[in-house]
Amino acid sequence: MADHQNRDKIRRKIHEIIFEADTDSGKVFDEVLLILIGLSVIAAAIETIPNIHHDLQHNLIIFEWIFTLIFTIEYILRIYSTLRPYKYITSFYGVVDLLAIVPTYLSLFFAGSQALIIIRALRLLRIFRIFKMGKYVDSSQIIIRSMKLSLPKITVFLYFILLVVCIFGAIMYLVEGSTNPSYDSIPRSIYWAIVTITTVGFGDITPNTFVGQFLSAILMILGYAVIAVPTGIVSSEIITSRRKSISTQTCMYCSAEGHDDDAKYCKYCGEQINPVTEEDEG
Amino acid sequence: MADHQNRDKIRRKIHEIIFEADTDSGKVFDEVLLILIGLSVIAAAIETIPNIHHDLQHNLIIFEWIFTLIFTIEYILRIYSTLRPYKYITSFYGVVDLLAIVPTYLSLFFAGSQALIIIRALRLLRIFRIFKMGKYVDSSQIIIRSMKLSLPKITVFLYFILLVVCIFGAIMYLVEGSTNPSYDSIPRSIYWAIVTITTVGFGDITPNTFVGQFLSAILMILGYAVIAVPTGIVSSEIITSRRKSISTQTCMYCSAEGHDDDAKYCKYCGEQINPVTEEDEG
Amino acid sequence: MADHQNRDKIRRKIHEIIFEADTDSGKVFDEVLLILIGLSVIAAAIETIPNIHHDLQHNLIIFEWIFTLIFTIEYILRIYSTLRPYKYITSFYGVVDLLAIVPTYLSLFFAGSQALIIIRALRLLRIFRIFKMGKYVDSSQIIIRSMKLSLPKITVFLYFILLVVCIFGAIMYLVEGSTNPSYDSIPRSIYWAIVTITTVGFGDITPNTFVGQFLSAILMILGYAVIAVPTGIVSSEIITSRRKSISTQTCMYCSAEGHDDDAKYCKYCGEQINPVTEEDEG
Amino acid sequence: MADHQNRDKIRRKIHEIIFEADTDSGKVFDEVLLILIGLSVIAAAIETIPNIHHDLQHNLIIFEWIFTLIFTIEYILRIYSTLRPYKYITSFYGVVDLLAIVPTYLSLFFAGSQALIIIRALRLLRIFRIFKMGKYVDSSQIIIRSMKLSLPKITVFLYFILLVVCIFGAIMYLVEGSTNPSYDSIPRSIYWAIVTITTVGFGDITPNTFVGQFLSAILMILGYAVIAVPTGIVSSEIITSRRKSISTQTCMYCSAEGHDDDAKYCKYCGEQINPVTEEDEG
């Protein structure tokens, strides 16, 4: 019985370290884990460099196995310590954590399989945990909330951009297509229009004719000017969401939400918000 | 008589589905139509890829005809169901809808006509309907209103950009023209200046001389810094048009200001805002 | 005597048309003039295209002379109609107006002189008149005022950018210089750094080594992120200058300025602002 | 004794000129020094241009020595005039000031040493003094404060960008790697992804396959749209840090709010704001 209690205690302790970001040990665990994930990703990336020195490649494979073993132990401990292992295993992070270790084991059987690299790259998704770390939670939430609020407007903006690049792509195909082999199809012309309107400007496809260059100039200035639109939208969302810092309080009488932080009375029914708290303070 | 009434009912039903975006069936129709337009445009774009597989091209032509038939039926139903068909036919969307189907029929007579593709691309304009769809209406209107309010300032900004690129184009023609065949005329130099100030930077035309590179550097930094101007203009328009929706009402009892537009009670003292107006409405 | 009065009347009429933008005829004159300036600049630009058709070049020269004659007449009328001709001749626009017509006459004596083109390009400066036209005055002033207020901050920002590109230029010269002929001097490396940080990215100079590409990546992300700084500065200036729409009133008692539009009492000495106006309204 | 006092006076005078930016002579000294630093950096940069004219190089070396001698005298005077020379010598600017003169002296012993150039480039760091100059102090502090406040959000944003470029880099390596030698390793593909998402677009590495171009288009639009996020963050920080300087005081007589920080009288009713505080000060 004491043994069982002891095991339970260890289990709870492991859970606290691995899953909770509030405790000191939990924070240290999170940071060490993130550094390991980062290093393992860098190692996997370097491994793909051609003509790499033989010794370095040898060392990278050793590192690869060390990282995989650590992540395997971590994965087992996560399943062991959680009360509902099936829920964790089937969760987003559970699947990502498993995919982070599987490719290395599979490489024993299917040597040199290219497709495994992409799965190994999934290990990067584990870095998303960073946004759950204490010091970044607030910033992440402000960004995510602003993005969510901006989404319909950004969508409309992207539809507009899509329309413009399709129309310019089609026109440029007609204008340049006959003399310029770079514009040999509409999809390629649309690719060029995207490269141009986003001001990326690779230069792999460029107009030669006077009309083509004139149309390009219009597209560039358009891209240069309309970038103001998403920027203005997101700016206004962030500023508004800051100014209001809308309270999460709900009126007890009419269930209305969206009260300002400094509101003492419900703006819809006129009753006090949180009267109990008021009295507690008094 | 009953037959006539029945026909009228069908007609009204069709009108409701095709023209109105508020009803459920209207929404479904809009979304299906948009997907069909998107697919037909993608098909038309793929068709232009050279050396495309023969079977795929064959299928694309079949798709093309299916889309055209559907759009033809839709066009006829629109004319049939509307009470003022001439108004629809001569309206912007009426012309676009007609232009979307005509090229395919024309291709029966004028095979391989390149120019028809550009007309087919007009079908994309139908996507503008997206901005009339329920979930995007608000966002579209905010963007359009902000753009309209920013227009005079953006125009002044664009005149300034135009001036700068003309002056830099002329100077670069003088500086680089004699040694660099890329700057062989002022229009080409202006094209380069636009590519540079908008930070697109294709790299098809680049300065070789020291003076040319020095002037380019100034132009780039100018372009990099002045992008702040349209962005600031649009941001301020969007923020201002949002802030305006904060009511100018003042509470009669505690003189507090800054109530939301929809507030009925003062959020600071709980008394009614504008009780008289309330009674007037009552 | 009557003749003298008549001449005076004509003179005043000409002055009204040419110099004043408020009257209807003045507006028409301004717009026609701007279109002529635009056309003359376009003609001058097209003239520089090599291998241009002989007939077109012939026509362009004729146009050139027509524009020059019109601008000459305009210049003479300006001197004639103004009361202080010397003041106009020595003013900025007076000099620009003269420089706009001189090159064509000089071309009679010094045929094919390259240097004349740059002077001819000065004709563009006449377009600055656009910012004095009624419908653009307000927008121009908001932009100019915001730019002026942002100037010290933008200057600090540009010093920072200058520092960064110099440091990165020097480092890249050391890192890439030995193996990459594109980075053969520090000025050229600094030019590359400017091309990169402003996100122009011509691609005429690109890093080859791993360290060089790594440093480039840092420079790019820096340039991508710090663009937010001037944008934020200008946005805040425009928003602030709108919100305040600071009154031009000066307190009669303490000479303080910068009162809000809705201020009735001086915020520094407590005396009424514009008490007379108050009474007039009362 | 008088001699000692005299020396002390000279010392204090030197300290005032060299270290203090408030006095007129101090301002002149700062500006002359900055121009000299700028010139010395330009000279050092020009010196690296290959095939430079022999005479110019000769002059540059002379200039180099003149600048070094001036900076040496300045360094000695700084040590002499300050009361705590060790504190200055070990401070950031003390080290930078020393590093600015050492390379030239070292070049006497180690001729042509490349590594010395990078140390010489450190002289640029002296330009950071510009941000301590009177007219730029306020602007610098606003920018620095806004940057500090934005830092956690910008960090989250950069982590997100890092994630996206790693994932796109890995995918592009798989998609393009086999047919396109430009994507021969994941680090190179990540470098390309950074070039693309930041809209720099060198064009040294570009996708050839249809899938690769499609993915590039997504990456470009992403980079084009998410630039709105840091811009929005910094804009909101700058605007908020400005707005805060609006006083939170309320007029005791008319309850009006929104007074400026420096307001002493209510701008709506003309009564004193915070009369008690006034008396306290008196």
Side-chain angles (χ1 to χ4, degrees):
Chain A
M1 191 69 184
D3 189 54
H4 184 77
Q5 271 187 339
N6 213 20
R7 232 162 59 194
D8 241 42
K9 219 170 141 189
I10 291 169
R11 218 160 135 176
R12 227 174 292 140
K13 186 70 195 162
I14 293 170
H15 187 270
E16 192 188 302
I17 294 170
I18 294 185
F19 280 97
E20 281 158 43
D22 302 338
T23 60
D24 278 350
S25 50
K27 276 179 195 166
V28 170
F29 177 82
D30 273 359
E31 288 187 3
V32 169
L33 185 66
L34 277 170
I35 292 164
L36 285 176
I37 294 170
L39 288 174
S40 76
V41 168
I42 291 168
I46 292 173
E47 225 176 295
T48 64
I49 296 173
N51 307 321
I52 205 168
H53 196 279
H54 193 264
D55 285 359
L56 179 57
Q57 188 153 32
H58 190 71
N59 287 332
L60 284 172
I61 292 168
I62 293 170
F63 276 122
E64 179 68 27
W65 276 103
I66 293 170
F67 290 131
T68 305
L69 285 176
I70 294 170
F71 293 153
T72 309
I73 293 163
E74 184 220 334
Y75 184 65
I76 292 164
L77 284 180
R78 275 184 194 271
I79 294 173
Y80 173 74
S81 68
T82 190
L83 287 172
R84 284 168 293 180
Y86 290 105
K87 215 192 149 192
Y88 163 69
I89 291 168
T90 55
S91 75
F92 172 71
Y93 281 117
V95 174
V96 167
D97 290 350
L98 181 63
L99 286 172
I101 50 176
V102 163
T104 318
Y105 294 111
L106 283 180
S107 70
L108 287 177
F109 307 102
F110 313 97
S113 172
Q114 280 276 352
L116 291 178
I117 293 163
I118 186 77
I119 305 178
R120 203 181 285 165
L122 284 171
R123 198 173 278 173
L124 273 166
L125 294 176
R126 302 193 76 197
I127 298 184
F128 274 115
R129 267 165 219 260
I130 223 165
F131 303 131
K132 287 168 78 180
M133 278 174 71
K135 54 183 168 180
Y136 297 126
V137 164
D138 284 356
S139 303
S140 303
Q141 277 178 351
I142 288 175
I143 292 176
I144 291 166
R145 199 175 52 191
S146 307
M147 294 304 279
K148 263 190 199 152
L149 288 169
S150 322
L151 201 64
K153 280 178 230 116
I154 297 285
T155 309
V156 168
F157 174 72
L158 288 182
Y159 273 118
F160 173 73
I161 293 291
L162 215 64
L163 257 176
V164 170
V165 296
C166 286
I167 290 167
F168 267 86
I171 296 173
M172 287 300 280
Y173 169 68
L174 285 178
V175 169
E176 291 272 329
S178 53
T179 59
N180 193 337
S182 298
Y183 297 85
D184 62 355
S185 70
I186 288 186
R188 245 177 100 82
S189 297
I190 291 173
Y191 162 72
W192 168 86
I194 294 171
V195 169
T196 304
I197 205 173
T198 58
T199 77
V200 171
F202 278 140
D204 51 349
I205 306 171
T206 51
N208 292 335
T209 65
F210 180 78
V211 178
Q213 292 182 344
F214 185 75
L215 290 170
S216 306
I218 292 171
L219 191 60
M220 283 170 217
I221 290 173
L222 196 69
Y224 183 65
V226 297
I227 183 66
V229 173
T231 305
I233 292 165
V234 175
S235 293
S236 93
E237 288 304 346
I238 293 177
I239 291 166
T240 311
S241 72
R242 269 167 155 271
R243 190 178 317 125
K244 297 206 82 170
S245 67
I246 287 165
S247 157
T248 53
Q249 297 174 329
T250 308
C251 174
M252 282 173 65
Y253 300 89
C254 73
S255 301
E257 288 183 342
H259 302 295
D260 293 347
D261 253 359
D262 57 349
K264 287 191 176 157
Y265 295 87
C266 173
K267 63 184 177 182
Y268 298 109
C269 72
E271 295 291 340
Q272 269 198 329
I273 298 170
N274 283 345
V276 186
T277 318
E278 283 289 299
E279 281 161 24
D280 281 356
E281 281 173 20
Chain B
M1 190 68 185
D3 188 55
H4 184 77
Q5 270 188 339
N6 213 22
R7 230 164 59 195
D8 237 44
K9 218 169 143 190
I10 290 168
R11 215 159 136 178
R12 225 173 294 140
K13 186 72 195 160
I14 292 170
H15 187 270
E16 190 187 305
I17 293 170
I18 294 186
F19 282 96
E20 280 159 45
D22 302 338
T23 59
D24 278 351
S25 50
K27 275 179 196 168
V28 169
F29 177 81
D30 272 359
E31 287 187 4
V32 169
L33 185 66
L34 278 171
I35 291 164
L36 285 175
I37 294 169
L39 288 174
S40 75
V41 168
I42 291 168
I46 292 173
E47 225 176 297
T48 63
I49 296 173
N51 307 323
I52 206 168
H53 195 280
H54 192 265
D55 284 0
L56 180 56
Q57 190 154 28
H58 189 71
N59 286 332
L60 284 172
I61 291 168
I62 293 168
F63 276 122
E64 179 68 27
W65 277 104
I66 294 170
F67 290 131
T68 305
L69 286 177
I70 295 170
F71 293 149
T72 308
I73 292 163
E74 184 221 335
Y75 185 65
I76 292 164
L77 284 179
R78 275 184 196 272
I79 294 173
Y80 173 73
S81 69
T82 191
L83 288 172
R84 283 169 293 180
Y86 289 105
K87 211 191 152 194
Y88 163 69
I89 291 169
T90 54
S91 73
F92 173 72
Y93 282 118
V95 174
V96 167
D97 289 349
L98 180 64
L99 286 172
I101 50 176
V102 163
T104 318
Y105 294 111
L106 283 181
S107 70
L108 287 178
F109 307 101
F110 313 97
S113 172
Q114 280 276 354
L116 290 178
I117 293 162
I118 186 77
I119 305 178
R120 205 178 284 164
L122 284 171
R123 198 175 280 173
L124 273 168
L125 294 176
R126 301 191 77 190
I127 297 184
F128 273 116
R129 267 166 215 263
I130 226 166
F131 304 133
K132 287 168 81 180
M133 279 173 71
K135 54 182 167 180
Y136 296 125
V137 163
D138 284 356
S139 303
S140 303
Q141 277 177 352
I142 288 174
I143 292 176
I144 291 166
R145 200 176 49 192
S146 307
M147 294 304 279
K148 263 189 199 154
L149 288 169
S150 322
L151 201 64
K153 281 179 228 113
I154 297 284
T155 310
V156 168
F157 174 73
L158 287 182
Y159 273 119
F160 173 74
I161 293 292
L162 215 66
L163 259 175
V164 170
V165 296
C166 286
I167 290 167
F168 268 85
I171 296 174
M172 287 299 281
Y173 169 68
L174 285 178
V175 169
E176 291 271 329
S178 54
T179 59
N180 193 338
S182 298
Y183 297 85
D184 62 355
S185 69
I186 288 186
R188 245 177 101 82
S189 296
I190 291 174
Y191 163 71
W192 167 86
I194 294 171
V195 169
T196 304
I197 206 173
T198 57
T199 78
V200 170
F202 278 141
D204 51 349
I205 306 172
T206 50
N208 292 335
T209 64
F210 180 78
V211 179
Q213 292 182 344
F214 184 76
L215 290 170
S216 305
I218 291 171
L219 191 60
M220 283 169 216
I221 290 173
L222 196 69
Y224 182 65
V226 296
I227 182 68
V229 174
T231 306
I233 292 165
V234 175
S235 293
S236 93
E237 287 304 345
I238 293 176
I239 291 165
T240 310
S241 71
R242 271 164 154 270
R243 190 175 315 123
K244 262 182 203 146
S245 67
I246 286 176
S247 159
T248 52
Q249 296 174 329
T250 307
C251 174
M252 281 172 64
Y253 300 90
C254 75
S255 302
E257 289 182 341
H259 302 293
D260 294 347
D261 253 358
D262 57 349
K264 286 188 178 158
Y265 293 88
C266 173
K267 62 185 178 179
Y268 299 110
C269 71
E271 295 292 339
Q272 270 199 330
I273 298 170
N274 283 346
V276 187
T277 318
E278 285 289 298
E279 279 161 27
D280 283 354
E281 282 171 22
Chain C
M1 191 69 184
D3 189 56
H4 184 78
Q5 271 187 340
N6 213 24
R7 231 164 58 196
D8 239 43
K9 218 168 145 190
I10 291 169
R11 217 160 135 176
R12 226 173 292 139
K13 186 72 194 161
I14 294 170
H15 187 270
E16 191 187 304
I17 294 170
I18 295 186
F19 281 97
E20 280 159 45
D22 301 339
T23 58
D24 278 351
S25 49
K27 275 180 195 168
V28 170
F29 177 82
D30 273 358
E31 287 186 6
V32 169
L33 186 65
L34 278 170
I35 291 163
L36 285 176
I37 295 169
L39 287 175
S40 76
V41 169
I42 291 168
I46 292 172
E47 224 177 298
T48 65
I49 297 172
N51 307 322
I52 207 169
H53 196 278
H54 193 265
D55 284 0
L56 180 55
Q57 189 153 29
H58 189 72
N59 287 332
L60 284 172
I61 291 168
I62 292 168
F63 276 122
E64 179 67 28
W65 276 105
I66 294 170
F67 290 132
T68 305
L69 285 176
I70 295 170
F71 294 152
T72 307
I73 292 163
E74 183 219 337
Y75 184 65
I76 291 163
L77 284 180
R78 275 183 196 272
I79 293 173
Y80 172 74
S81 68
T82 190
L83 287 173
R84 283 170 293 180
Y86 290 104
K87 213 190 152 195
Y88 163 69
I89 291 168
T90 54
S91 74
F92 173 72
Y93 282 117
V95 174
V96 167
D97 289 350
L98 181 64
L99 286 172
I101 49 176
V102 163
T104 317
Y105 293 112
L106 284 181
S107 70
L108 287 178
F109 308 100
F110 314 97
S113 172
Q114 279 277 350
L116 290 177
I117 293 163
I118 186 79
I119 305 177
R120 203 180 285 164
L122 284 171
R123 199 173 277 174
L124 272 167
L125 294 176
R126 302 192 77 196
I127 298 183
F128 274 113
R129 268 166 216 258
I130 223 165
F131 303 130
K132 286 168 79 181
M133 278 172 73
K135 54 183 168 180
Y136 296 126
V137 164
D138 284 356
S139 303
S140 302
Q141 277 178 351
I142 288 174
I143 292 176
I144 291 166
R145 199 173 52 190
S146 306
M147 293 305 278
K148 263 190 199 153
L149 289 169
S150 321
L151 201 64
K153 282 179 227 113
I154 298 284
T155 309
V156 168
F157 173 73
L158 288 182
Y159 273 119
F160 173 74
I161 293 291
L162 215 65
L163 260 175
V164 170
V165 296
C166 286
I167 290 167
F168 268 85
I171 295 173
M172 287 300 281
Y173 170 68
L174 286 178
V175 168
E176 291 272 330
S178 53
T179 58
N180 194 339
S182 297
Y183 297 84
D184 62 355
S185 70
I186 288 186
R188 245 176 102 83
S189 298
I190 291 173
Y191 163 72
W192 167 86
I194 294 171
V195 169
T196 305
I197 205 172
T198 57
T199 78
V200 171
F202 278 140
D204 51 348
I205 307 171
T206 50
N208 292 335
T209 65
F210 180 78
V211 179
Q213 292 182 344
F214 184 76
L215 289 169
S216 305
I218 292 171
L219 191 60
M220 283 169 218
I221 290 172
L222 196 69
Y224 183 64
V226 297
I227 183 67
V229 174
T231 306
I233 292 165
V234 175
S235 293
S236 93
E237 288 303 345
I238 293 176
I239 291 165
T240 311
S241 72
R242 273 167 152 270
R243 189 178 320 124
K244 296 203 89 169
S245 67
I246 289 165
S247 156
T248 52
Q249 296 174 328
T250 307
C251 175
M252 282 172 64
Y253 300 89
C254 74
S255 301
E257 288 182 342
H259 302 294
D260 294 347
D261 253 358
D262 57 349
K264 287 192 176 155
Y265 294 88
C266 172
K267 63 184 177 181
Y268 297 109
C269 72
E271 295 292 339
Q272 270 198 328
I273 298 171
N274 284 345
V276 187
T277 318
E278 284 290 300
E279 280 160 25
D280 283 355
E281 282 172 19
Chain D
M1 190 68 186
D3 188 56
H4 185 77
Q5 271 186 340
N6 213 23
R7 230 159 64 194
D8 239 44
K9 219 168 143 191
I10 291 168
R11 220 159 136 176
R12 226 173 293 140
K13 187 70 195 163
I14 294 170
H15 187 269
E16 193 187 301
I17 294 169
I18 295 185
F19 281 97
E20 280 158 45
D22 301 340
T23 59
D24 278 351
S25 49
K27 276 179 195 167
V28 170
F29 177 82
D30 273 0
E31 287 187 4
V32 169
L33 186 65
L34 278 170
I35 291 163
L36 285 176
I37 294 169
L39 288 175
S40 76
V41 168
I42 291 167
I46 292 173
E47 225 176 295
T48 64
I49 297 172
N51 307 323
I52 205 168
H53 196 281
H54 193 264
D55 285 359
L56 179 56
Q57 190 154 29
H58 189 71
N59 287 333
L60 285 173
I61 292 168
I62 291 169
F63 276 122
E64 179 68 27
W65 276 104
I66 293 170
F67 291 132
T68 306
L69 285 176
I70 294 170
F71 294 153
T72 308
I73 292 164
E74 183 220 338
Y75 184 65
I76 292 164
L77 284 180
R78 274 182 197 271
I79 294 173
Y80 173 74
S81 68
T82 190
L83 287 173
R84 283 168 293 182
Y86 291 104
K87 213 191 151 192
Y88 163 69
I89 292 168
T90 54
S91 74
F92 172 72
Y93 281 116
V95 173
V96 166
D97 289 351
L98 182 63
L99 286 171
I101 50 175
V102 164
T104 318
Y105 293 111
L106 283 181
S107 70
L108 287 178
F109 308 101
F110 314 97
S113 172
Q114 280 276 351
L116 290 177
I117 294 162
I118 185 79
I119 306 177
R120 203 180 284 166
L122 284 171
R123 198 173 278 174
L124 273 167
L125 294 177
R126 301 193 77 197
I127 298 184
F128 273 114
R129 268 166 217 258
I130 224 166
F131 303 131
K132 287 168 78 181
M133 279 173 72
K135 53 183 168 181
Y136 297 126
V137 163
D138 284 357
S139 303
S140 302
Q141 277 178 351
I142 288 174
I143 292 176
I144 291 166
R145 199 174 53 192
S146 307
M147 293 305 278
K148 264 190 197 153
L149 288 169
S150 321
L151 202 65
K153 279 176 231 119
I154 297 286
T155 310
V156 167
F157 173 73
L158 288 182
Y159 273 119
F160 173 74
I161 292 291
L162 215 65
L163 259 174
V164 169
V165 295
C166 286
I167 291 166
F168 268 86
I171 296 172
M172 287 300 281
Y173 169 68
L174 286 177
V175 168
E176 290 272 330
S178 52
T179 57
N180 192 337
S182 297
Y183 297 85
D184 62 355
S185 69
I186 287 185
R188 246 177 100 81
S189 297
I190 291 173
Y191 163 72
W192 167 85
I194 293 171
V195 169
T196 305
I197 204 172
T198 57
T199 77
V200 171
F202 278 140
D204 51 348
I205 308 171
T206 50
N208 292 334
T209 65
F210 179 78
V211 178
Q213 292 182 345
F214 185 76
L215 289 170
S216 306
I218 292 171
L219 191 60
M220 283 169 218
I221 290 172
L222 197 68
Y224 183 65
V226 297
I227 183 65
V229 174
T231 305
I233 292 166
V234 175
S235 293
S236 93
E237 288 303 345
I238 293 176
I239 291 165
T240 310
S241 71
R242 272 163 154 275
R243 192 178 311 124
K244 260 180 204 148
S245 67
I246 287 176
S247 158
T248 53
Q249 296 175 328
T250 307
C251 174
M252 281 173 64
Y253 300 90
C254 74
S255 302
E257 288 182 343
H259 302 294
D260 293 346
D261 252 359
D262 57 350
K264 287 189 178 159
Y265 293 88
C266 174
K267 62 184 178 182
Y268 299 109
C269 72
E271 294 292 339
Q272 271 199 327
I273 298 170
N274 283 346
V276 187
T277 318
E278 283 289 299
E279 280 161 26
D280 281 356
E281 282 172 21

